[in-house]
């Protein structure tokens, strides 16, 4: 049974995705009213930093937003960023101080860094993500069937205006033309409503679209993934969830109110503490360590007590295979985003390394977030990137 448990307190919401009693995902919205990731603003360019090919945009919040040239240039396809020679361009040719600019916040402030902005607006829906300022249509990498990919592209292309693009989400698989067209139409109407707001130079910068709160976002993301019930401890949250489920026509999902401490369910507190440990033991006696820095997350695999009965290559492969499964689980559970570097136990054969990557890829398919595996470096480190689901 797949359940979403929402434990609401006065100052925050704790959200847990549990399957058959096992904690899969955990989020905490400690700034439910202060999160700005996903907000859309009409800001003003404050100052330009030519050496960084970047600018700072006044969005009316406590910190100006940072925007790079690559997030200003129009995105005509899904790989433009890799093919543009930014060194040959000058950001001053594209933005000027005090110039109004429409931006979406892609990453909230953290530590001493301000928010990150982009002119590439994304409006997420249940089945697609609308790209109002782009013209390409792309499909989630998790949809591997070519016939289904082509079917979905055809439906979305027919429903979209010529000047808009979209990302087709995994949840769209198997959905009817009508369902997909309704989602497209809903998002187009939402975008038209956003840009119809009357603004003038006198009232800039200005917030013109507030992001969905975390509960709404996660309900929308999970509504088509086999969710069986939602358990809440707040009347307000129950009303919100009931409304969302009714909106999506998913009457089979039960919403249950419980007054008792929801963290007592499935020994959630114990599972949470375990998910915060730096060291995670593997069943075969090995372990992994997870260390987060400002630049990246480093994960190390150690054989520890496991020596195996075979040669060193087979022993290392056995540990690495189990570690690949556990690392994929921990990355999802801890919502680790950004650059991730994994130091598996060294393997001498390409076939062994490929076996580990294949297992890792299989396990990563369970992750709702976008994960890109870059491959092994010359130093035998596996590099990947992941987009976090929640910034808090």
């Amino acid at each position: 049974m797949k359940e979403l448990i929402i434990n609401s307190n006065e100052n925050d919401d704790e959200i847990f995705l549990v399957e058959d009693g096992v904690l899969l995902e955990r989020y905490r919205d400690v700034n439910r009213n202060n999160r700005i990731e996903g907000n859309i603003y009409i800001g003003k360019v404050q100052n330009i930093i030519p050496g960084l090919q970047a600018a700072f945009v006044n969005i009316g919040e406590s910190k100006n937003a940072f925007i790079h040239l690559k997030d200003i240039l129009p995105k005509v396809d899904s790989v433009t960023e890799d093919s543009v020679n930014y060194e040959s361009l000058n950001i001053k040719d594209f933005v000027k101080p005090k110039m109004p600019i429409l931006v979406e916040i892609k990453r909230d402030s953290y530590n001493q860094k301000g928010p990150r902005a982009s002119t590439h607006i994304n409006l997420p829906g249940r089945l697609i993500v609308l790209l109002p300022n782009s013209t390409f249509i792309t499909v989630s990498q998790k949809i591997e069937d070519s016939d289904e990919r082509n079917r979905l592209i055809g439906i979305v292309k027919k429903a979209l205006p010529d000047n808009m693009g979209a990302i087709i989400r995994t949840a769209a698989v198997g959905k009817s033309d009508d369902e997909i067209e309704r989602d497209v139409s809903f998002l187009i109407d939402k975008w038209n409503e956003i840009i119809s707001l009357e603004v003038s130079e006198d009232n800039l910068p200005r917030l013109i679209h507030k992001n969905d709160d975390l509960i709404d976002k996660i309900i929308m993301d999970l509504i088509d993934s086999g969710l069986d019930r939602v358990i809440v401890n707040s009347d307000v949250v129950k009303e919100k969830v009931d409304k969302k489920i009714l909106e999506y026509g998913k009457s089979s999902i039960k919403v249950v109110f419980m007054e008792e401490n929801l963290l007592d369910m499935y020994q959630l507190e114990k599972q949470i503490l375990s998910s915060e440990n730096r060291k995670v033991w593997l069943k075969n006696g090995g372990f992994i360590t997870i260390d987060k820095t400002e630049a990246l997350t480093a994960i190390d695999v150690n054989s520890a007590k496991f020596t195996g009965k075979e040669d060193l290559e087979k022993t290392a492969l056995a540990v690495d295979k189990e570690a690949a499964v556990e690392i994929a689980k921990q990355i999802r559970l801890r919502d680790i985003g950004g650059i991730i570097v994994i130091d598996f136990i060294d393997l001498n054969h390409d076939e062994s390394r490929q076996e580990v990557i294949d297992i890792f890829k299989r396990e990563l398919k369970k992750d709702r977030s976008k994960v890109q595996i870059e491959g092994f470096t010359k130093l035998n480190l596996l590099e990947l990137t992941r987009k976090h689901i929640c910034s808090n």
Side-chain angles (χ1 to χ4, degrees):
M1 175 181 281
K2 188 178 286 188
E3 300 166 290
L4 195 65
I5 298 172
I6 305 174
N7 189 56
S8 297
N9 302 304
E10 183 178 348
N11 298 317
D12 59 38
D13 297 315
E14 293 179 290
I15 304 168
F16 309 97
L17 178 63
V18 176
E19 186 165 14
D20 298 328
V22 178
L23 181 61
L24 301 179
E25 298 177 17
R26 173 200 175 197
Y27 309 101
R28 188 177 182 191
D29 195 356
V30 295
N31 296 308
R32 58 163 73 102
N33 297 316
N34 297 323
R35 290 176 62 245
I36 66 170
E37 185 170 317
N39 285 0
I40 300 174
Y41 298 84
I42 298 181
K44 275 189 175 183
V45 176
Q46 192 74 17
N47 55 316
I48 297 172
I49 317 295
L52 296 177
Q53 291 283 51
F56 285 96
V57 180
N58 181 359
I59 57 172
E61 301 290 345
S62 58
K63 291 183 178 179
N64 291 335
F66 177 89
I67 188 167
H68 190 271
L69 178 58
K70 69 182 180 183
D71 292 312
I72 296 171
L73 295 178
K75 199 170 186 179
V76 296
D77 57 48
S78 57
V79 293
T80 298
E81 185 177 317
D82 296 326
S83 60
V84 174
N85 180 9
Y86 294 104
E87 292 182 2
S88 67
L89 302 174
N90 187 336
I91 190 171
K92 290 185 176 181
D93 294 332
F94 300 92
V95 292
K96 307 293 181 185
K98 299 184 179 179
M99 182 182 99
I101 185 169
L102 180 70
V103 296
E104 177 186 346
I105 301 304
K106 298 296 185 179
R107 188 186 66 201
D108 224 317
S109 302
Y110 72 98
N111 296 334
Q112 299 300 314
K113 293 188 176 181
R116 182 76 180 254
S118 173
T119 62
H120 305 148
I121 309 296
N122 290 6
L123 280 186
R126 174 185 165 197
L127 306 178
I128 75 156
V129 177
L130 185 69
L131 309 176
N133 298 333
S134 302
T135 55
F136 64 88
I137 298 173
T138 187
V139 186
S140 166
Q141 294 177 350
K142 295 180 181 179
I143 304 177
E144 297 177 343
D145 184 271
S146 59
D147 290 338
E148 180 66 359
R149 290 171 69 93
N150 290 333
R151 182 186 78 89
L152 294 171
I153 289 172
I155 296 168
V156 173
K157 188 173 183 180
K158 184 179 176 182
L160 279 176
D162 292 338
N163 61 339
M164 291 189 183
I167 300 169
I168 300 172
R169 306 184 70 176
T170 312
V173 171
K175 295 296 188 293
S176 68
D177 294 28
D178 287 345
E179 284 181 284
I180 296 169
E181 287 169 2
R182 278 199 300 271
D183 200 45
V184 173
S185 178
F186 170 77
L187 291 172
I188 291 173
D189 289 345
K190 186 175 183 180
W191 174 245
N192 288 334
E193 184 179 334
I194 291 170
I195 60 174
S196 67
L197 292 173
E198 291 187 11
V199 294
S200 66
E201 295 262 348
D202 297 333
N203 63 359
L204 297 183
R206 182 178 175 186
L207 171 67
I208 61 171
H209 172 68
K210 185 80 173 70
N211 61 18
D212 290 336
D213 68 23
L214 190 57
I215 292 175
D216 282 343
K217 180 180 185 297
I218 290 178
I219 290 289
M220 180 179 69
D221 287 350
L222 293 175
I223 202 80
D224 294 290
S225 66
L227 190 63
D228 294 294
R229 69 172 182 170
V230 182
I231 302 170
V232 302
N233 66 345
S234 159
D235 289 324
V236 173
V237 174
K238 184 177 187 306
E239 184 178 347
K240 177 201 291 274
V241 175
D242 279 331
K243 182 179 177 182
K244 276 290 176 187
I245 288 175
L246 180 64
E247 178 183 320
Y248 295 130
K250 292 286 184 177
S251 58
S252 60
I253 300 175
K254 306 302 178 188
V255 185
V256 180
F257 175 85
M258 293 185 179
E259 288 187 348
E260 56 263 36
N261 184 3
L262 300 186
L263 297 185
D264 289 339
M265 298 182 64
Y266 309 122
Q267 295 185 307
L268 276 178
E269 282 190 296
K270 183 177 179 180
Q271 293 194 63
I272 291 166
L273 286 173
S274 176
S275 74
E276 294 173 344
N277 289 338
R278 174 180 178 265
K279 181 184 287 188
V280 180
W281 286 97
L282 305 175
K283 292 178 182 177
N284 62 18
F287 65 84
I288 63 173
T289 58
I290 303 172
D291 294 293
K292 295 185 73 173
T293 71
E294 192 169 324
L296 53 81
T297 298
I299 302 177
D300 184 56
V301 180
N302 195 305
S303 60
K305 303 173 184 177
F306 181 70
T307 56
K309 299 179 180 178
E310 316 252 8
D311 59 45
L312 288 176
E313 179 81 1
K314 289 184 178 178
T315 298
L317 179 58
V319 176
D320 282 348
K321 285 164 65 176
E322 187 173 334
V325 174
E326 185 62 34
I327 290 168
K329 174 186 171 184
Q330 292 295 328
I331 287 172
R332 180 184 179 193
L333 177 57
R334 300 171 189 231
D335 193 25
I336 298 174
I339 300 170
I340 303 169
V341 177
I342 304 172
D343 187 7
F344 284 104
I345 300 173
D346 286 351
L347 297 167
N348 296 318
H349 304 305
D350 290 340
E351 311 88 73
S352 299
R353 282 192 288 270
Q354 190 58 51
E355 193 173 347
V356 172
I357 287 182
D358 288 344
I359 290 172
F360 194 40
K361 285 181 177 178
R362 182 195 70 202
E363 294 301 311
L364 287 174
K365 286 182 180 178
K366 301 172 184 177
D367 196 331
R368 295 187 295 112
S369 188
K370 180 180 179 181
V371 183
Q372 183 72 40
I373 296 178
E374 302 298 336
F376 282 98
T377 69
K378 291 180 180 179
L379 296 176
N380 257 347
L381 302 174
L382 185 65
E383 292 182 324
L384 59 145
T385 59
R386 179 182 183 274
K387 181 175 173 56
H388 65 72
I389 290 177
C390 175
S391 60
N392 295 299

